Amino acid sequence: MTNTDDIRSEGMSPLKRAALVIGGVLIAVFALGVMAGYTKAALEGGSFGWKSLVVYLVAAGLLLGGTWMVRRGVTKFALSKSPKMREYQLVVLGTCLLGAVLGGLMQLGAPAGSEAGLNILSYNAPISPAVAAVMLASLPLLAWLYYRWHKTADEHEQAAYNFGAVLGIYTYFFASIGWWVAWRGGLLPEPDGLAIFWAVIIVWSIGWIWHRFR
């Protein structure tokens, strides 16, 4: 089993470190998306006013806050001396970095004049073909990173991952069949596959983190 003490920082638990880094990256990417989306919408509308200033100030504050969280989370971070643990750490960092880049591309890739400029939170909003091509081309790299993670993660990490995976599978089963039955009974709108996908990912991640750091 690899030694997880190598990734601890002074006075900071691994859970707090992970929360700071992941939360900071998400906040920073969201802030950049807000700036890009609002700029495109404002350019399309041909006007920048005091509301624009408020939006940019809030987004800048979020960006600074997210950057501070990431910097705080990686302070005094040192790679392990163990080759296997070092590769594990690099794979995790590489996966987070790739996810942040792809998230930023998705936010920035909405064509001018589309509804995405006004509603950056809509996951059905169109993106440019070039951005879509880059994201699709990155999937083999993401698959390789996942493969290397499975080869380098220790037994405790694998057990936490499997625990979250089981919760995710149950979430998919009950959410998909429950939503489908409710839709056929006229109680809910037509099932949204992507919404169920994100529900699975969120439950999986929570289960993984809880089992990993409890």
Side-chain angles (χ1 to χ4, degrees), residues 1 5 15 26 34 38-40 51 53 58-59 61-62 70 87 101 104 106 114 132 138 184-185 204 212:
M1 179 182 293
D5 289 340
L15 179 58
L26 292 176
V34 169
Y38 194 84
T39 299
K40 288 183 178 181
K51 292 183 179 180
L53 178 61
V58 172
L62 289 173
V70 173
E87 182 179 0
V101 171
M106 182 174 291
S114 71
S138 70
R184 295 191 62 182
W204 191 338
R212 176 66 177 81

Side-chain angles (χ1 to χ4, degrees), residues 8-30:
R8 293 180 182 270
S9 64
E10 297 181 10
M12 185 181 298
S13 68
L15 179 58
K16 184 177 180 180
R17 176 188 293 282
L20 283 172
V21 174
I22 295 173
V25 168
L26 292 176
I27 291 173
V29 170
F30 174 77

Side-chain angles (χ1 to χ4, degrees), residues 148-196:
R148 292 311 306 170
W149 181 90
H150 282 285
K151 298 293 289 186
T152 56
D154 61 29
E155 293 90 339
H156 181 59
E157 187 79 26
Q158 294 278 7
Y161 177 89
N162 293 337
F163 176 78
V166 170
L167 293 182
I169 289 296
Y170 281 129
T171 299
Y172 175 79
F173 175 80
F174 287 108
S176 59
I177 192 66
W179 198 340
W180 178 69
V181 170
W183 168 59
R184 295 191 62 182
L187 302 176
L188 289 175
E190 185 176 359
D192 187 327
L194 196 56
I196 296 175

Side-chain angles (χ1 to χ4, degrees), residues 3-154:
N3 184 6
T4 55
D5 289 340
D6 289 326
I7 61 174
R8 293 180 182 270
S9 64
E10 297 181 10
M12 185 181 298
S13 68
L15 179 58
K16 184 177 180 180
R17 176 188 293 282
L20 283 172
V21 174
I22 295 173
V25 168
L26 292 176
I27 291 173
V29 170
F30 174 77
L32 290 174
V34 169
M35 291 180 178
Y38 194 84
T39 299
K40 288 183 178 181
L43 289 174
E44 183 68 17
S47 64
F48 285 89
W50 65 269
K51 292 183 179 180
S52 303
L53 178 61
V54 173
V55 170
Y56 288 129
L57 287 176
V58 172
L62 289 173
L63 179 60
L64 290 175
T67 303
W68 177 86
M69 290 172 64
V70 173
R71 183 177 179 182
R72 176 72 177 135
V74 300
T75 298
K76 297 182 180 180
F77 177 82
L79 292 175
S80 171
K81 295 180 181 180
S82 166
K84 185 176 181 180
M85 188 61 185
R86 186 187 305 116
E87 182 179 0
Y88 164 80
Q89 292 172 332
L90 290 174
V91 166
V92 172
L93 292 174
T95 304
C96 291
L97 178 61
L98 179 61
V101 171
L102 294 180
L105 283 176
M106 182 174 291
Q107 293 284 8
L108 299 173
S114 71
E115 293 182 359
L118 298 175
N119 185 11
I120 63 170
L121 295 180
S122 174
Y123 51 73
N124 287 323
I127 58 176
S128 70
V131 170
V134 171
M135 296 182 69
L136 291 173
S138 70
L139 292 181
L141 174 58
L142 187 61
W144 180 81
L145 287 171
Y146 285 160
Y147 168 74
R148 292 311 306 170
W149 181 90
H150 282 285
K151 298 293 289 186
T152 56
D154 61 29

